[in-house]
């Protein structure tokens, strides 16, 4: 009996794995313009339910977004305010049965980062009975807010572009100062190389006057 149960569990596990959509590996536009477009999608669509509690509006400047654009995106919020969902926790729990996960570190928490986010949102599909399911995570309670499953042609291409940009923005939001650190790292490496070369010549000059 145990062997039969084990075989059935293995079969069901394989079936479930086969039905789940794998994480796609695509090339992203990670320019400032793409991050800006993604910020608009996330702030205007995703933040209807999700928050980015570990980000503040003023952090958007690290993405190269100009101050007037940040002012436009934050609306009535103060520069030091966190990016909070328009839906409070009580309403979210009542609507979805749980509080939607914070997206501040989503790209780092999920293997694949931006690829995972893109794959998840493009996994919504229209079933024969007219219902919409997510092929990657069938258990999710997140709705197809962008209408990906019911779109086609140029509309779908436009939605896919929005999803790409949103994924890039969330990847950036998980570590807003990564670019700043990389730039500083280049200066530090250049400084260390320069110091090493100078010390080498100093060493040669000092040892030159010492008899062997």
């Amino acid at each position: 009996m145990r062997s039969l149960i084990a075989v059935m569990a293995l079969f069901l596990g394989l079936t479930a794995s086969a039905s789940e959509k794998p994480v796609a590996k695509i090339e992203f536009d990670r320019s400032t313009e793409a991050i800006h477009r993604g910020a608009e999608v996330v702030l205007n669509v995703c933040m209807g339910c999700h928050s980015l509690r570990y980000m503040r509006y003023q952090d958007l400047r690290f993405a190269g977004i100009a101050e007037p654009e940040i002012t436009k995106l934050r609306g009535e919020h103060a520069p030091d305010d966190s990016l909070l969902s328009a839906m409070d926790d009580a309403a979210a729990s009542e609507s979805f049965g749980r509080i939607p996960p914070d997206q501040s570190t989503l790209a780092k928490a999920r293997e694949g980062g931006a690829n995972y986010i893109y794959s998840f949102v493009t996994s919504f599909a229209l079933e024969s009975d007219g219902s919409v399911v997510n092929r990657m995570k069938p258990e999710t309670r997140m709705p197809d807010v962008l209408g990906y499953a019911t779109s086609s042609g140029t509309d779908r291409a436009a939605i896919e572009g929005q999803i790409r940009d949103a994924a890039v923005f969330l990847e950036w939001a998980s570590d807003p100062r990564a670019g700043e650190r990389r730039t500083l790292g280049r200066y530090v490496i250049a400084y260390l190389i320069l110091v090493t070369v100078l010390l080498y010549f100093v060493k040669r000059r000092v040892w030159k006057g010492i008899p062997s």
Side-chain angles (χ1 to χ4, degrees):
M1 184 64 180
R2 289 182 179 177
S3 299
L4 178 60
I5 293 173
V7 171
M8 289 179 66
L10 177 61
F11 174 77
L12 291 173
L14 290 173
T15 302
S17 298
S19 66
E20 291 181 359
K21 179 180 175 181
V23 174
K25 293 183 179 179
I26 62 174
E27 293 295 326
F28 290 97
D29 174 9
R30 291 181 168 85
S31 64
T32 299
E33 292 76 14
I35 294 174
H36 186 178
R37 293 193 302 267
E40 291 182 338
V41 175
V42 172
L43 270 66
N44 294 324
V45 180
C46 304
M47 280 179 56
C49 301
H50 296 273
S51 294
L52 287 86
R53 297 179 185 276
Y54 303 112
M55 270 206 71
R56 302 183 187 280
Y57 286 96
Q58 63 185 6
D59 293 335
L60 295 174
R61 70 185 190 276
F62 295 115
I65 300 176
E67 192 62 38
E69 295 300 326
I70 295 175
T71 302
K72 181 181 176 181
L73 287 170
R74 67 181 174 84
E76 297 180 355
H77 296 281
D80 198 42
D81 285 350
S82 296
L83 278 66
L84 300 179
S85 167
M87 182 182 293
D88 60 50
D89 291 349
S93 297
E94 184 177 350
S95 299
F96 305 112
R98 56 171 294 186
I99 300 172
D102 187 272
Q103 295 188 331
S104 304
T105 57
L106 178 63
K108 284 193 175 295
R110 298 291 186 176
E111 185 176 356
N115 283 302
Y116 172 88
I117 296 168
Y118 176 84
S119 300
F120 173 74
V121 183
T122 57
S123 292
F124 285 103
L126 188 64
E127 297 289 273
S128 57
D129 62 359
S131 63
V132 174
V133 299
N134 189 289
R135 297 280 172 80
M136 186 173 176
K137 296 288 182 183
E139 71 279 7
T140 186
R141 296 190 180 185
M142 174 179 160
D144 181 16
V145 290
L146 292 173
Y148 179 83
T150 54
S151 65
S152 61
T154 55
D155 288 340
R156 172 159 290 195
I159 292 173
E160 286 179 348
Q162 289 181 311
I163 297 170
R164 285 172 184 260
D165 292 338
V168 167
F169 172 76
L170 291 175
E171 179 184 63
W172 170 84
S174 67
D175 193 357
R177 300 199 178 188
E180 190 179 60
R181 287 202 310 276
R182 293 190 189 101
T183 301
L184 179 61
R186 295 189 188 101
Y187 285 115
V188 171
I189 291 171
Y191 171 77
L192 291 175
I193 291 173
L194 177 62
V195 169
T196 301
V197 171
L198 291 175
L199 289 175
Y200 170 74
F201 284 111
V202 169
K203 178 255 184 187
R204 288 194 61 181
R205 182 179 181 85
V206 170
W207 283 85
K208 185 178 180 181
I210 299 176
S212 56

